Amino acid sequence: VLIPFASIYGGTETAANILACRLAELGVKVEMYDVSVTHYSYVLSDAFKYSHIVFAAPTFNNGLFDTMEHLMRDLCHHNFQNRTVALIQNGSWGPVAGKKVKESLETLKDIKIVDPMVTIRSALKEGNLTAMEALADALVAK
C-alpha cells in the first residue's frame, strides 16, 4: 500500500502514520511519502508500482492542499488506472479534500474506491481510531 499524504499542522500525517502501522501489523508492505516535501515525480513513479493507494489530504481554502492537488493532476495526466484507492480527509470546519480527490479519481479508468473514507477534524480523536482500523481491514480484504 502506498500512502501519499500532505499535512499542514501534522494531523493528517499522524493519521497516515497510524494507518501505516496498522497495515504493517497486518503484514502489509507500506510505503509513505509526504507530498509536501517529496518531489511529486517520486510519488508518481511509485503510484504505478503499488496496487493499493491511500490518499491522505487536508482541506485548504475549501479545496485540496496545493501539493496533493498537484499530485492528483499529474496522476490524471499520466492516465493512472486499475488501482484500489482509499481516502483520508482532514478539515476543521468543512472537510472537502476527500470529495476533491474522489472527483479527480472518477475521471480515471478502473479505480475502485474502498470505504470507509475517514474524516478527521484537525486532529485524530478516539472515534477516528475505529474508522482507521476499519479502513485498514477493508484494504487488507481487497
Side-chain angles (χ1 to χ4, degrees):
V1 174
L2 175 66
I3 306 176
F5 67 91
S7 196
I8 300 170
Y9 299 111
T12 310
E13 181 177 8
T14 299
N17 282 321
I18 288 172
L19 179 63
C21 289
R22 178 65 181 145
L23 289 168
E25 288 171 353
L26 295 170
V28 176
K29 178 185 175 193
V30 178
E31 181 78 32
M32 295 180 68
Y33 284 106
D34 180 347
V35 300
S36 302
V37 297
T38 303
H39 192 268
Y40 74 91
S41 62
Y42 294 101
V43 184
L44 187 63
S45 173
D46 272 3
F48 287 92
K49 296 175 187 173
Y50 285 79
S51 61
H52 294 63
I53 301 175
V54 179
F55 294 100
T59 299
F60 184 72
N61 289 336
N62 202 32
L64 262 179
F65 190 57
D66 296 343
T67 54
M68 184 61 75
E69 184 175 32
H70 190 142
L71 174 62
M72 297 311 301
R73 185 179 63 241
D74 285 349
L75 285 170
C76 290
H77 287 168
H78 284 83
N79 198 26
F80 185 68
Q81 58 186 313
N82 302 319
R83 296 294 186 279
T84 299
V85 172
L87 307 171
I88 298 172
Q89 68 174 349
N90 192 351
S92 298
W93 299 285
V96 298
K99 176 184 170 190
K100 298 293 185 181
V101 170
K102 192 173 181 181
E103 287 171 358
S104 292
L105 295 171
E106 287 173 341
T107 67
L108 303 172
K109 183 179 176 185
D110 294 325
I111 300 292
K112 295 164 197 71
I113 299 177
V114 175
D115 286 325
M117 175 169 58
V118 176
T119 299
I120 299 161
R121 295 203 177 254
S122 295
L124 277 174
K125 314 240 179 343
E126 195 165 322
N128 296 123
L129 296 176
T130 303
M132 297 292 283
E133 286 192 17
L135 181 57
D137 291 341
L139 284 165
V140 169
K142 298 281 181 186

